PDB file of all heavy atoms in Angstrom:
ATOM      1  N   PRO A  83      69.280  -0.168  -4.579  1.00  0.00           N
ATOM      2  CA  PRO A  83      69.183  -1.612  -4.847  1.00  0.00           C
ATOM      3  C   PRO A  83      68.840  -2.420  -3.610  1.00  0.00           C
ATOM      4  O   PRO A  83      68.169  -3.455  -3.702  1.00  0.00           O
ATOM      5  CB  PRO A  83      70.579  -1.968  -5.384  1.00  0.00           C
ATOM      6  CG  PRO A  83      71.466  -0.837  -4.977  1.00  0.00           C
ATOM      7  CD  PRO A  83      70.610   0.373  -4.907  1.00  0.00           C
ATOM      8  N   ASP A  84      69.274  -1.958  -2.427  1.00  0.00           N
ATOM      9  CA  ASP A  84      68.912  -2.656  -1.195  1.00  0.00           C
ATOM     10  C   ASP A  84      67.412  -2.579  -0.938  1.00  0.00           C
ATOM     11  O   ASP A  84      66.816  -3.509  -0.383  1.00  0.00           O
ATOM     12  CB  ASP A  84      69.674  -2.068  -0.007  1.00  0.00           C
ATOM     13  CG  ASP A  84      71.154  -2.393  -0.040  1.00  0.00           C
ATOM     14  OD1 ASP A  84      71.529  -3.368  -0.720  1.00  0.00           O
ATOM     15  OD2 ASP A  84      71.936  -1.668   0.606  1.00  0.00           O
ATOM     16  N   SER A  85      66.799  -1.464  -1.336  1.00  0.00           N
ATOM     17  CA  SER A  85      65.350  -1.321  -1.164  1.00  0.00           C
ATOM     18  C   SER A  85      64.591  -2.339  -2.001  1.00  0.00           C
ATOM     19  O   SER A  85      63.637  -2.968  -1.529  1.00  0.00           O
ATOM     20  CB  SER A  85      64.907   0.098  -1.555  1.00  0.00           C
ATOM     21  OG  SER A  85      65.344   1.055  -0.620  1.00  0.00           O
ATOM     22  N   SER A  86      65.001  -2.489  -3.241  1.00  0.00           N
ATOM     23  CA  SER A  86      64.294  -3.432  -4.115  1.00  0.00           C
ATOM     24  C   SER A  86      64.466  -4.863  -3.615  1.00  0.00           C
ATOM     25  O   SER A  86      63.520  -5.656  -3.638  1.00  0.00           O
ATOM     26  CB  SER A  86      64.786  -3.304  -5.562  1.00  0.00           C
ATOM     27  OG  SER A  86      66.172  -3.554  -5.662  1.00  0.00           O
ATOM     28  N   ALA A  87      65.661  -5.194  -3.126  1.00  0.00           N
ATOM     29  CA  ALA A  87      65.893  -6.539  -2.603  1.00  0.00           C
ATOM     30  C   ALA A  87      65.058  -6.784  -1.348  1.00  0.00           C
ATOM     31  O   ALA A  87      64.443  -7.848  -1.182  1.00  0.00           O
ATOM     32  CB  ALA A  87      67.378  -6.732  -2.293  1.00  0.00           C
ATOM     33  N   ALA A  88      65.025  -5.786  -0.473  1.00  0.00           N
ATOM     34  CA  ALA A  88      64.282  -5.930   0.789  1.00  0.00           C
ATOM     35  C   ALA A  88      62.787  -6.022   0.543  1.00  0.00           C
ATOM     36  O   ALA A  88      62.084  -6.804   1.209  1.00  0.00           O
ATOM     37  CB  ALA A  88      64.589  -4.760   1.707  1.00  0.00           C
ATOM     38  N   TYR A  89      62.292  -5.255  -0.413  1.00  0.00           N
ATOM     39  CA  TYR A  89      60.857  -5.301  -0.700  1.00  0.00           C
ATOM     40  C   TYR A  89      60.442  -6.691  -1.177  1.00  0.00           C
ATOM     41  O   TYR A  89      59.405  -7.227  -0.750  1.00  0.00           O
ATOM     42  CB  TYR A  89      60.467  -4.256  -1.742  1.00  0.00           C
ATOM     43  CG  TYR A  89      59.051  -4.442  -2.221  1.00  0.00           C
ATOM     44  CD1 TYR A  89      57.974  -4.043  -1.434  1.00  0.00           C
ATOM     45  CD2 TYR A  89      58.782  -5.075  -3.443  1.00  0.00           C
ATOM     46  CE1 TYR A  89      56.666  -4.253  -1.848  1.00  0.00           C
ATOM     47  CE2 TYR A  89      57.480  -5.288  -3.859  1.00  0.00           C
ATOM     48  CZ  TYR A  89      56.432  -4.870  -3.063  1.00  0.00           C
ATOM     49  OH  TYR A  89      55.147  -5.095  -3.475  1.00  0.00           O
ATOM     50  N   ALA A  90      61.236  -7.275  -2.054  1.00  0.00           N
ATOM     51  CA  ALA A  90      60.915  -8.614  -2.557  1.00  0.00           C
ATOM     52  C   ALA A  90      60.837  -9.613  -1.396  1.00  0.00           C
ATOM     53  O   ALA A  90      59.960 -10.487  -1.364  1.00  0.00           O
ATOM     54  CB  ALA A  90      61.962  -9.059  -3.574  1.00  0.00           C
ATOM     55  N   THR A  91      61.732  -9.452  -0.431  1.00  0.00           N
ATOM     56  CA  THR A  91      61.747 -10.361   0.716  1.00  0.00           C
ATOM     57  C   THR A  91      60.527 -10.166   1.601  1.00  0.00           C
ATOM     58  O   THR A  91      59.836 -11.127   1.949  1.00  0.00           O
ATOM     59  CB  THR A  91      63.026 -10.153   1.547  1.00  0.00           C
ATOM     60  OG1 THR A  91      64.172 -10.414   0.734  1.00  0.00           O
ATOM     61  CG2 THR A  91      63.037 -11.086   2.755  1.00  0.00           C
ATOM     62  N   VAL A  92      60.240  -8.913   1.982  1.00  0.00           N
ATOM     63  CA  VAL A  92      59.126  -8.693   2.913  1.00  0.00           C
ATOM     64  C   VAL A  92      57.774  -8.969   2.254  1.00  0.00           C
ATOM     65  O   VAL A  92      56.811  -9.329   2.938  1.00  0.00           O
ATOM     66  CB  VAL A  92      59.157  -7.275   3.538  1.00  0.00           C
ATOM     67  CG1 VAL A  92      60.386  -7.114   4.423  1.00  0.00           C
ATOM     68  CG2 VAL A  92      59.085  -6.187   2.492  1.00  0.00           C
ATOM     69  N   ALA A  93      57.703  -8.841   0.928  1.00  0.00           N
ATOM     70  CA  ALA A  93      56.466  -9.222   0.247  1.00  0.00           C
ATOM     71  C   ALA A  93      56.235 -10.724   0.386  1.00  0.00           C
ATOM     72  O   ALA A  93      55.098 -11.182   0.572  1.00  0.00           O
ATOM     73  CB  ALA A  93      56.533  -8.816  -1.223  1.00  0.00           C
ATOM     74  N   SER A  94      57.315 -11.494   0.328  1.00  0.00           N
ATOM     75  CA  SER A  94      57.205 -12.942   0.542  1.00  0.00           C
ATOM     76  C   SER A  94      56.877 -13.264   1.993  1.00  0.00           C
ATOM     77  O   SER A  94      56.120 -14.195   2.285  1.00  0.00           O
ATOM     78  CB  SER A  94      58.517 -13.632   0.141  1.00  0.00           C
ATOM     79  OG  SER A  94      58.755 -13.506  -1.249  1.00  0.00           O
ATOM     80  N   VAL A  95      57.449 -12.469   2.906  1.00  0.00           N
ATOM     81  CA  VAL A  95      57.141 -12.640   4.331  1.00  0.00           C
ATOM     82  C   VAL A  95      55.655 -12.402   4.573  1.00  0.00           C
ATOM     83  O   VAL A  95      54.998 -13.150   5.314  1.00  0.00           O
ATOM     84  CB  VAL A  95      57.978 -11.671   5.189  1.00  0.00           C
ATOM     85  CG1 VAL A  95      57.500 -11.673   6.644  1.00  0.00           C
ATOM     86  CG2 VAL A  95      59.451 -12.041   5.116  1.00  0.00           C
ATOM     87  N   LEU A  96      55.116 -11.367   3.964  1.00  0.00           N
ATOM     88  CA  LEU A  96      53.692 -11.056   4.104  1.00  0.00           C
ATOM     89  C   LEU A  96      52.835 -12.257   3.711  1.00  0.00           C
ATOM     90  O   LEU A  96      51.903 -12.640   4.434  1.00  0.00           O
ATOM     91  CB  LEU A  96      53.338  -9.848   3.231  1.00  0.00           C
ATOM     92  CG  LEU A  96      51.872  -9.433   3.187  1.00  0.00           C
ATOM     93  CD1 LEU A  96      51.450  -8.803   4.513  1.00  0.00           C
ATOM     94  CD2 LEU A  96      51.618  -8.451   2.029  1.00  0.00           C
ATOM     95  N   GLU A  97      53.151 -12.850   2.578  1.00  0.00           N
ATOM     96  CA  GLU A  97      52.381 -13.996   2.096  1.00  0.00           C
ATOM     97  C   GLU A  97      52.541 -15.198   3.026  1.00  0.00           C
ATOM     98  O   GLU A  97      51.553 -15.843   3.407  1.00  0.00           O
ATOM     99  CB  GLU A  97      52.836 -14.359   0.684  1.00  0.00           C
ATOM    100  CG  GLU A  97      52.071 -15.513   0.068  1.00  0.00           C
ATOM    101  CD  GLU A  97      52.506 -15.832  -1.350  1.00  0.00           C
ATOM    102  OE1 GLU A  97      53.409 -15.137  -1.865  1.00  0.00           O
ATOM    103  OE2 GLU A  97      51.964 -16.785  -1.935  1.00  0.00           O
ATOM    104  N   SER A  98      53.775 -15.487   3.421  1.00  0.00           N
ATOM    105  CA  SER A  98      54.035 -16.660   4.264  1.00  0.00           C
ATOM    106  C   SER A  98      53.414 -16.513   5.647  1.00  0.00           C
ATOM    107  O   SER A  98      52.812 -17.458   6.181  1.00  0.00           O
ATOM    108  CB  SER A  98      55.552 -16.878   4.403  1.00  0.00           C
ATOM    109  OG  SER A  98      56.139 -17.143   3.149  1.00  0.00           O
ATOM    110  N   TRP A  99      53.557 -15.322   6.233  1.00  0.00           N
ATOM    111  CA  TRP A  99      53.033 -15.104   7.580  1.00  0.00           C
ATOM    112  C   TRP A  99      51.506 -15.191   7.606  1.00  0.00           C
ATOM    113  O   TRP A  99      50.914 -15.790   8.504  1.00  0.00           O
ATOM    114  CB  TRP A  99      53.501 -13.762   8.106  1.00  0.00           C
ATOM    115  CG  TRP A  99      53.082 -13.496   9.524  1.00  0.00           C
ATOM    116  CD1 TRP A  99      51.983 -12.802   9.947  1.00  0.00           C
ATOM    117  CD2 TRP A  99      53.726 -13.962  10.712  1.00  0.00           C
ATOM    118  NE1 TRP A  99      51.892 -12.787  11.318  1.00  0.00           N
ATOM    119  CE2 TRP A  99      52.962 -13.493  11.811  1.00  0.00           C
ATOM    120  CE3 TRP A  99      54.870 -14.716  10.962  1.00  0.00           C
ATOM    121  CZ2 TRP A  99      53.320 -13.760  13.136  1.00  0.00           C
ATOM    122  CZ3 TRP A  99      55.229 -14.979  12.276  1.00  0.00           C
ATOM    123  CH2 TRP A  99      54.455 -14.503  13.339  1.00  0.00           C
ATOM    124  N   ASN A 100      50.872 -14.576   6.615  1.00  0.00           N
ATOM    125  CA  ASN A 100      49.407 -14.568   6.599  1.00  0.00           C
ATOM    126  C   ASN A 100      48.807 -15.931   6.257  1.00  0.00           C
ATOM    127  O   ASN A 100      47.634 -16.170   6.534  1.00  0.00           O
ATOM    128  CB  ASN A 100      48.894 -13.484   5.649  1.00  0.00           C
ATOM    129  CG  ASN A 100      48.947 -12.103   6.284  1.00  0.00           C
ATOM    130  OD1 ASN A 100      48.903 -11.959   7.502  1.00  0.00           O
ATOM    131  ND2 ASN A 100      49.049 -11.072   5.457  1.00  0.00           N
ATOM    132  N   LYS A 101      49.600 -16.816   5.668  1.00  0.00           N
ATOM    133  CA  LYS A 101      49.127 -18.187   5.487  1.00  0.00           C
ATOM    134  C   LYS A 101      49.025 -18.897   6.836  1.00  0.00           C
ATOM    135  O   LYS A 101      48.113 -19.699   7.064  1.00  0.00           O
ATOM    136  CB  LYS A 101      50.074 -18.957   4.559  1.00  0.00           C
ATOM    137  CG  LYS A 101      49.878 -18.652   3.079  1.00  0.00           C
ATOM    138  CD  LYS A 101      50.807 -19.494   2.223  1.00  0.00           C
ATOM    139  CE  LYS A 101      50.600 -19.199   0.735  1.00  0.00           C
ATOM    140  NZ  LYS A 101      51.528 -20.000  -0.114  1.00  0.00           N
ATOM    141  N   LEU A 102      49.984 -18.583   7.717  1.00  0.00           N
ATOM    142  CA  LEU A 102      49.983 -19.194   9.051  1.00  0.00           C
ATOM    143  C   LEU A 102      49.046 -18.475  10.007  1.00  0.00           C
ATOM    144  O   LEU A 102      48.419 -19.101  10.866  1.00  0.00           O
ATOM    145  CB  LEU A 102      51.403 -19.171   9.626  1.00  0.00           C
ATOM    146  CG  LEU A 102      52.459 -19.998   8.890  1.00  0.00           C
ATOM    147  CD1 LEU A 102      53.835 -19.730   9.482  1.00  0.00           C
ATOM    148  CD2 LEU A 102      52.120 -21.484   8.965  1.00  0.00           C
ATOM    149  N   HIS A 103      48.963 -17.160   9.856  1.00  0.00           N
ATOM    150  CA  HIS A 103      48.145 -16.328  10.730  1.00  0.00           C
ATOM    151  C   HIS A 103      47.303 -15.399   9.845  1.00  0.00           C
ATOM    152  O   HIS A 103      47.683 -14.244   9.622  1.00  0.00           O
ATOM    153  CB  HIS A 103      49.020 -15.506  11.677  1.00  0.00           C
ATOM    154  CG  HIS A 103      50.056 -16.305  12.407  1.00  0.00           C
ATOM    155  ND1 HIS A 103      49.759 -17.071  13.510  1.00  0.00           N
ATOM    156  CD2 HIS A 103      51.385 -16.472  12.167  1.00  0.00           C
ATOM    157  CE1 HIS A 103      50.859 -17.659  13.939  1.00  0.00           C
ATOM    158  NE2 HIS A 103      51.864 -17.315  13.146  1.00  0.00           N
ATOM    159  N   PRO A 104      46.197 -15.887   9.335  1.00  0.00           N
ATOM    160  CA  PRO A 104      45.421 -15.122   8.347  1.00  0.00           C
ATOM    161  C   PRO A 104      45.084 -13.697   8.799  1.00  0.00           C
ATOM    162  O   PRO A 104      44.663 -13.462   9.940  1.00  0.00           O
ATOM    163  CB  PRO A 104      44.155 -15.969   8.176  1.00  0.00           C
ATOM    164  CG  PRO A 104      44.593 -17.356   8.522  1.00  0.00           C
ATOM    165  CD  PRO A 104      45.594 -17.199   9.626  1.00  0.00           C
ATOM    166  N   ASP A 105      45.301 -12.769   7.871  1.00  0.00           N
ATOM    167  CA  ASP A 105      44.924 -11.358   8.064  1.00  0.00           C
ATOM    168  C   ASP A 105      45.535 -10.741   9.322  1.00  0.00           C
ATOM    169  O   ASP A 105      44.936  -9.881   9.966  1.00  0.00           O
ATOM    170  CB  ASP A 105      43.399 -11.207   8.118  1.00  0.00           C
ATOM    171  CG  ASP A 105      42.731 -11.603   6.821  1.00  0.00           C
ATOM    172  OD1 ASP A 105      43.365 -11.438   5.761  1.00  0.00           O
ATOM    173  OD2 ASP A 105      41.583 -12.079   6.861  1.00  0.00           O
ATOM    174  N   SER A 106      46.740 -11.167   9.666  1.00  0.00           N
ATOM    175  CA  SER A 106      47.361 -10.630  10.884  1.00  0.00           C
ATOM    176  C   SER A 106      48.521  -9.679  10.599  1.00  0.00           C
ATOM    177  O   SER A 106      49.035  -9.040  11.514  1.00  0.00           O
ATOM    178  CB  SER A 106      47.865 -11.770  11.775  1.00  0.00           C
ATOM    179  OG  SER A 106      48.880 -12.511  11.115  1.00  0.00           O
ATOM    180  N   LEU A 107      48.942  -9.581   9.333  1.00  0.00           N
ATOM    181  CA  LEU A 107      50.078  -8.721   8.988  1.00  0.00           C
ATOM    182  C   LEU A 107      49.746  -7.880   7.770  1.00  0.00           C
ATOM    183  O   LEU A 107      49.273  -8.394   6.754  1.00  0.00           O
ATOM    184  CB  LEU A 107      51.323  -9.569   8.705  1.00  0.00           C
ATOM    185  CG  LEU A 107      52.590  -8.813   8.254  1.00  0.00           C
ATOM    186  CD1 LEU A 107      53.085  -7.883   9.370  1.00  0.00           C
ATOM    187  CD2 LEU A 107      53.685  -9.805   7.857  1.00  0.00           C
ATOM    188  N   GLN A 108      49.976  -6.584   7.888  1.00  0.00           N
ATOM    189  CA  GLN A 108      49.848  -5.671   6.760  1.00  0.00           C
ATOM    190  C   GLN A 108      51.221  -5.085   6.462  1.00  0.00           C
ATOM    191  O   GLN A 108      51.982  -4.763   7.379  1.00  0.00           O
ATOM    192  CB  GLN A 108      48.863  -4.543   7.057  1.00  0.00           C
ATOM    193  CG  GLN A 108      48.646  -3.595   5.866  1.00  0.00           C
ATOM    194  CD  GLN A 108      47.678  -2.470   6.188  1.00  0.00           C
ATOM    195  OE1 GLN A 108      47.710  -1.910   7.281  1.00  0.00           O
ATOM    196  NE2 GLN A 108      46.805  -2.146   5.250  1.00  0.00           N
ATOM    197  N   LEU A 109      51.546  -4.958   5.192  1.00  0.00           N
ATOM    198  CA  LEU A 109      52.807  -4.357   4.752  1.00  0.00           C
ATOM    199  C   LEU A 109      52.520  -2.978   4.181  1.00  0.00           C
ATOM    200  O   LEU A 109      51.668  -2.828   3.304  1.00  0.00           O
ATOM    201  CB  LEU A 109      53.480  -5.233   3.695  1.00  0.00           C
ATOM    202  CG  LEU A 109      54.744  -4.666   3.037  1.00  0.00           C
ATOM    203  CD1 LEU A 109      55.857  -4.488   4.069  1.00  0.00           C
ATOM    204  CD2 LEU A 109      55.205  -5.585   1.902  1.00  0.00           C
ATOM    205  N   THR A 110      53.216  -1.978   4.682  1.00  0.00           N
ATOM    206  CA  THR A 110      53.047  -0.612   4.199  1.00  0.00           C
ATOM    207  C   THR A 110      54.381  -0.096   3.684  1.00  0.00           C
ATOM    208  O   THR A 110      55.383  -0.102   4.408  1.00  0.00           O
ATOM    209  CB  THR A 110      52.529   0.320   5.314  1.00  0.00           C
ATOM    210  OG1 THR A 110      51.256  -0.156   5.770  1.00  0.00           O
ATOM    211  CG2 THR A 110      52.363   1.741   4.791  1.00  0.00           C
ATOM    212  N   VAL A 111      54.394   0.336   2.430  1.00  0.00           N
ATOM    213  CA  VAL A 111      55.602   0.856   1.793  1.00  0.00           C
ATOM    214  C   VAL A 111      55.520   2.381   1.762  1.00  0.00           C
ATOM    215  O   VAL A 111      54.506   2.945   1.332  1.00  0.00           O
ATOM    216  CB  VAL A 111      55.756   0.312   0.363  1.00  0.00           C
ATOM    217  CG1 VAL A 111      57.082   0.765  -0.243  1.00  0.00           C
ATOM    218  CG2 VAL A 111      55.641  -1.210   0.335  1.00  0.00           C
ATOM    219  N   ILE A 112      56.571   3.044   2.229  1.00  0.00           N
ATOM    220  CA  ILE A 112      56.637   4.497   2.237  1.00  0.00           C
ATOM    221  C   ILE A 112      57.940   4.908   1.557  1.00  0.00           C
ATOM    222  O   ILE A 112      59.000   4.352   1.837  1.00  0.00           O
ATOM    223  CB  ILE A 112      56.582   5.068   3.674  1.00  0.00           C
ATOM    224  CG1 ILE A 112      55.319   4.572   4.381  1.00  0.00           C
ATOM    225  CG2 ILE A 112      56.618   6.591   3.654  1.00  0.00           C
ATOM    226  CD1 ILE A 112      55.272   4.901   5.859  1.00  0.00           C
ATOM    227  N   VAL A 113      57.854   5.879   0.666  1.00  0.00           N
ATOM    228  CA  VAL A 113      59.015   6.292  -0.115  1.00  0.00           C
ATOM    229  C   VAL A 113      59.690   7.505   0.514  1.00  0.00           C
ATOM    230  O   VAL A 113      59.023   8.454   0.934  1.00  0.00           O
ATOM    231  CB  VAL A 113      58.601   6.640  -1.559  1.00  0.00           C
ATOM    232  CG1 VAL A 113      59.820   7.101  -2.363  1.00  0.00           C
ATOM    233  CG2 VAL A 113      57.942   5.449  -2.228  1.00  0.00           C
ATOM    234  N   THR A 114      61.004   7.454   0.583  1.00  0.00           N
ATOM    235  CA  THR A 114      61.789   8.647   0.868  1.00  0.00           C
ATOM    236  C   THR A 114      62.899   8.708  -0.165  1.00  0.00           C
ATOM    237  O   THR A 114      63.498   7.681  -0.510  1.00  0.00           O
ATOM    238  CB  THR A 114      62.367   8.638   2.292  1.00  0.00           C
ATOM    239  OG1 THR A 114      63.036   9.885   2.538  1.00  0.00           O
ATOM    240  CG2 THR A 114      63.339   7.498   2.508  1.00  0.00           C
ATOM    241  N   SER A 115      63.144   9.886  -0.698  1.00  0.00           N
ATOM    242  CA  SER A 115      64.122  10.042  -1.775  1.00  0.00           C
ATOM    243  C   SER A 115      65.455  10.504  -1.192  1.00  0.00           C
ATOM    244  O   SER A 115      65.576  11.635  -0.721  1.00  0.00           O
ATOM    245  CB  SER A 115      63.617  11.054  -2.804  1.00  0.00           C
ATOM    246  OG  SER A 115      62.397  10.624  -3.362  1.00  0.00           O
ATOM    247  N   LEU A 116      66.439   9.633  -1.243  1.00  0.00           N
ATOM    248  CA  LEU A 116      67.757   9.971  -0.713  1.00  0.00           C
ATOM    249  C   LEU A 116      68.458  10.970  -1.631  1.00  0.00           C
ATOM    250  O   LEU A 116      68.458  10.793  -2.858  1.00  0.00           O
ATOM    251  CB  LEU A 116      68.601   8.708  -0.567  1.00  0.00           C
ATOM    252  CG  LEU A 116      68.021   7.642   0.372  1.00  0.00           C
ATOM    253  CD1 LEU A 116      68.881   6.386   0.348  1.00  0.00           C
ATOM    254  CD2 LEU A 116      67.902   8.182   1.790  1.00  0.00           C
ATOM    255  N   PRO A 117      69.047  12.033  -1.085  1.00  0.00           N
ATOM    256  CA  PRO A 117      69.584  13.111  -1.915  1.00  0.00           C
ATOM    257  C   PRO A 117      70.744  12.705  -2.810  1.00  0.00           C
ATOM    258  O   PRO A 117      70.993  13.340  -3.840  1.00  0.00           O
ATOM    259  CB  PRO A 117      70.023  14.172  -0.885  1.00  0.00           C
ATOM    260  CG  PRO A 117      70.231  13.407   0.385  1.00  0.00           C
ATOM    261  CD  PRO A 117      69.208  12.311   0.357  1.00  0.00           C
ATOM    262  N   TYR A 118      71.468  11.653  -2.436  1.00  0.00           N
ATOM    263  CA  TYR A 118      72.610  11.253  -3.271  1.00  0.00           C
ATOM    264  C   TYR A 118      72.198  10.343  -4.422  1.00  0.00           C
ATOM    265  O   TYR A 118      73.027   9.992  -5.251  1.00  0.00           O
ATOM    266  CB  TYR A 118      73.700  10.593  -2.416  1.00  0.00           C
ATOM    267  CG  TYR A 118      73.204   9.667  -1.332  1.00  0.00           C
ATOM    268  CD1 TYR A 118      72.904   8.340  -1.608  1.00  0.00           C
ATOM    269  CD2 TYR A 118      73.044  10.126  -0.034  1.00  0.00           C
ATOM    270  CE1 TYR A 118      72.453   7.492  -0.620  1.00  0.00           C
ATOM    271  CE2 TYR A 118      72.600   9.273   0.974  1.00  0.00           C
ATOM    272  CZ  TYR A 118      72.306   7.956   0.681  1.00  0.00           C
ATOM    273  OH  TYR A 118      71.847   7.118   1.674  1.00  0.00           O
ATOM    274  N   HIS A 119      70.930   9.944  -4.480  1.00  0.00           N
ATOM    275  CA  HIS A 119      70.382   9.308  -5.682  1.00  0.00           C
ATOM    276  C   HIS A 119      69.636  10.413  -6.436  1.00  0.00           C
ATOM    277  O   HIS A 119      68.464  10.677  -6.185  1.00  0.00           O
ATOM    278  CB  HIS A 119      69.433   8.169  -5.309  1.00  0.00           C
ATOM    279  CG  HIS A 119      70.098   7.038  -4.606  1.00  0.00           C
ATOM    280  ND1 HIS A 119      69.424   6.167  -3.771  1.00  0.00           N
ATOM    281  CD2 HIS A 119      71.390   6.616  -4.610  1.00  0.00           C
ATOM    282  CE1 HIS A 119      70.264   5.266  -3.301  1.00  0.00           C
ATOM    283  NE2 HIS A 119      71.467   5.518  -3.792  1.00  0.00           N
ATOM    284  N   HIS A 120      70.312  11.060  -7.360  1.00  0.00           N
ATOM    285  CA  HIS A 120      69.833  12.323  -7.911  1.00  0.00           C
ATOM    286  C   HIS A 120      68.467  12.245  -8.582  1.00  0.00           C
ATOM    287  O   HIS A 120      67.721  13.213  -8.589  1.00  0.00           O
ATOM    288  CB  HIS A 120      70.860  12.876  -8.910  1.00  0.00           C
ATOM    289  CG  HIS A 120      72.175  13.192  -8.288  1.00  0.00           C
ATOM    290  ND1 HIS A 120      73.291  13.493  -9.015  1.00  0.00           N
ATOM    291  CD2 HIS A 120      72.563  13.247  -6.974  1.00  0.00           C
ATOM    292  CE1 HIS A 120      74.318  13.725  -8.201  1.00  0.00           C
ATOM    293  NE2 HIS A 120      73.897  13.571  -6.960  1.00  0.00           N
ATOM    294  N   ASN A 121      68.132  11.096  -9.149  1.00  0.00           N
ATOM    295  CA  ASN A 121      66.869  10.975  -9.883  1.00  0.00           C
ATOM    296  C   ASN A 121      65.782  10.261  -9.088  1.00  0.00           C
ATOM    297  O   ASN A 121      64.697   9.986  -9.609  1.00  0.00           O
ATOM    298  CB  ASN A 121      67.103  10.243 -11.207  1.00  0.00           C
ATOM    299  CG  ASN A 121      68.034  11.022 -12.108  1.00  0.00           C
ATOM    300  OD1 ASN A 121      67.864  12.220 -12.302  1.00  0.00           O
ATOM    301  ND2 ASN A 121      69.047  10.354 -12.646  1.00  0.00           N
ATOM    302  N   SER A 122      66.067  10.003  -7.823  1.00  0.00           N
ATOM    303  CA  SER A 122      65.090   9.308  -6.991  1.00  0.00           C
ATOM    304  C   SER A 122      63.821  10.127  -6.804  1.00  0.00           C
ATOM    305  O   SER A 122      62.717   9.581  -6.766  1.00  0.00           O
ATOM    306  CB  SER A 122      65.717   8.983  -5.632  1.00  0.00           C
ATOM    307  OG  SER A 122      64.798   8.356  -4.783  1.00  0.00           O
ATOM    308  N   TRP A 123      63.982  11.449  -6.681  1.00  0.00           N
ATOM    309  CA  TRP A 123      62.806  12.321  -6.520  1.00  0.00           C
ATOM    310  C   TRP A 123      61.880  12.189  -7.718  1.00  0.00           C
ATOM    311  O   TRP A 123      60.658  12.082  -7.565  1.00  0.00           O
ATOM    312  CB  TRP A 123      63.268  13.760  -6.347  1.00  0.00           C
ATOM    313  CG  TRP A 123      62.188  14.753  -6.046  1.00  0.00           C
ATOM    314  CD1 TRP A 123      61.444  15.484  -6.935  1.00  0.00           C
ATOM    315  CD2 TRP A 123      61.697  15.134  -4.741  1.00  0.00           C
ATOM    316  NE1 TRP A 123      60.554  16.293  -6.283  1.00  0.00           N
ATOM    317  CE2 TRP A 123      60.686  16.099  -4.929  1.00  0.00           C
ATOM    318  CE3 TRP A 123      62.033  14.757  -3.447  1.00  0.00           C
ATOM    319  CZ2 TRP A 123      60.002  16.692  -3.876  1.00  0.00           C
ATOM    320  CZ3 TRP A 123      61.355  15.344  -2.388  1.00  0.00           C
ATOM    321  CH2 TRP A 123      60.348  16.295  -2.604  1.00  0.00           C
ATOM    322  N   PHE A 124      62.445  12.176  -8.919  1.00  0.00           N
ATOM    323  CA  PHE A 124      61.634  12.029 -10.124  1.00  0.00           C
ATOM    324  C   PHE A 124      60.911  10.679 -10.133  1.00  0.00           C
ATOM    325  O   PHE A 124      59.734  10.596 -10.497  1.00  0.00           O
ATOM    326  CB  PHE A 124      62.505  12.140 -11.374  1.00  0.00           C
ATOM    327  CG  PHE A 124      62.961  13.534 -11.693  1.00  0.00           C
ATOM    328  CD1 PHE A 124      64.104  13.744 -12.460  1.00  0.00           C
ATOM    329  CD2 PHE A 124      62.262  14.645 -11.243  1.00  0.00           C
ATOM    330  CE1 PHE A 124      64.523  15.020 -12.766  1.00  0.00           C
ATOM    331  CE2 PHE A 124      62.670  15.934 -11.544  1.00  0.00           C
ATOM    332  CZ  PHE A 124      63.819  16.122 -12.307  1.00  0.00           C
ATOM    333  N   ALA A 125      61.629   9.617  -9.756  1.00  0.00           N
ATOM    334  CA  ALA A 125      61.016   8.286  -9.762  1.00  0.00           C
ATOM    335  C   ALA A 125      59.862   8.203  -8.764  1.00  0.00           C
ATOM    336  O   ALA A 125      58.806   7.642  -9.057  1.00  0.00           O
ATOM    337  CB  ALA A 125      62.071   7.231  -9.454  1.00  0.00           C
ATOM    338  N   ALA A 126      60.080   8.780  -7.580  1.00  0.00           N
ATOM    339  CA  ALA A 126      59.032   8.757  -6.558  1.00  0.00           C
ATOM    340  C   ALA A 126      57.837   9.611  -6.967  1.00  0.00           C
ATOM    341  O   ALA A 126      56.679   9.218  -6.789  1.00  0.00           O
ATOM    342  CB  ALA A 126      59.600   9.246  -5.227  1.00  0.00           C
TER     343      ALA A 126
END
C-alpha cells in the first residue's frame, strides 16, 4: 500500500516539476516482488 501511495505522489511531482522545468524530469517505475507479499510475484 505504501507503493501505491508513493506512486500517486511522485506522478504528481512529475507533472508539477515539468511544468516549471519542461522536460527535465523522467519518472521510472521498477517492480520488485517482496517475498512476504505472497501474490506479488503473480501481480508483477
